[in-house]
Amino acid sequence: MAGFKFATVGVLYAVLLAFAIILVWKKYADADNTVEKEAGAAAALYHISSGLESNEASALKTALTAYLRSAVSNEWPAMEGGGESKKTHTALEALYNAVSMSAKSQGSSPIASEIFRQIDDLTQARRARLEAAEGAVPGVVWAVLLVGAVLTISFTFFFGTINLRAQMLMTALLSVLIFSALLVVVVLDRPFSGTVKVGPNAITEVIADHADP
């Protein structure tokens, strides 16, 4: 009976743990794609600005560069705590002002429409990035995961073996396996903090390729 119950508990806990790992891994991958999308929109804005007048193009590039640099230097550290940077928000507003000024001279031209589309993509990517900085696993799931780990390991003590060392070794290996899986969930739960995190490499590459020194 103990073996049957242990198998049931093990399967239920394994399903829950696998679900948590898949959830945080998907969020981590989505966060990485979001940063790539934001960088892609910024690179497109740099290229499109070449179709504007020199003064308007310079103002747009300056505002865009200021926003990207603020995102790297201010917002990434803020996202480690699940927050956002007010300086980066202000820089984004300045970018919108520069875009509005350039759009007035362009009227309803295709260039103006494309600029607005790209800055909209950039803004949506930033919002998705900020949301991804928060934890994906709810508190109640964390409680069930921890309690389930304790119960699963505790069930091993209902089985007796002649060789006590073998039983202790099996219990230790099971404990290591469970807590290793929990460690994966902890590390990936917040994609922009911890030892394994999404960095601003895509954005820094755009700055290096297009921004004025």
Side-chain angles (χ1 to χ4, degrees), residues 52-202:
L52 302 173
E53 297 292 336
S54 59
N55 292 337
E56 297 169 354
S58 177
L60 178 58
K61 289 181 179 179
T62 300
L64 180 57
T65 301
Y67 164 76
L68 295 177
R69 286 175 174 167
S70 178
V72 173
S73 60
N74 298 318
E75 197 144 69
W76 244 262
M79 287 191 301
E80 291 188 3
E84 64 177 299
S85 171
K86 293 183 178 179
K87 292 182 179 179
T88 306
H89 180 75
T90 302
L92 181 61
E93 290 182 345
L95 176 58
Y96 265 97
N97 292 334
V99 168
S100 299
M101 294 297 295
S102 63
K104 288 181 180 179
S105 63
Q106 294 295 321
S108 58
S109 67
I111 293 180
S113 300
E114 184 62 20
I115 288 176
F116 277 115
R117 189 178 73 84
Q118 293 297 337
I119 195 173
D120 183 60
D121 289 344
L122 184 143
T123 305
Q124 291 183 12
R126 176 178 180 262
R127 177 50 53 190
R129 170 166 57 78
L130 293 175
E131 291 179 358
E134 302 175 358
V137 181
V140 63
V141 177
W142 276 118
V144 174
L145 286 174
L146 295 176
V147 172
V150 174
L151 291 178
T152 303
I153 296 172
S154 298
F155 256 94
T156 61
F157 296 108
F158 288 94
F159 300 94
T161 60
I162 299 176
N163 191 335
L164 181 59
R165 291 184 178 180
Q167 184 177 7
M168 294 176 60
L169 179 61
M170 288 186 290
T171 302
L173 292 176
L174 177 62
S175 302
V176 170
L177 180 62
I178 291 176
F179 286 107
S180 296
L182 287 175
L183 179 62
V184 173
V185 179
V186 171
V187 170
L188 299 181
D189 185 39
R190 294 181 179 271
F192 295 99
S193 61
T195 55
V196 180
K197 58 185 177 181
V198 178
N201 298 336

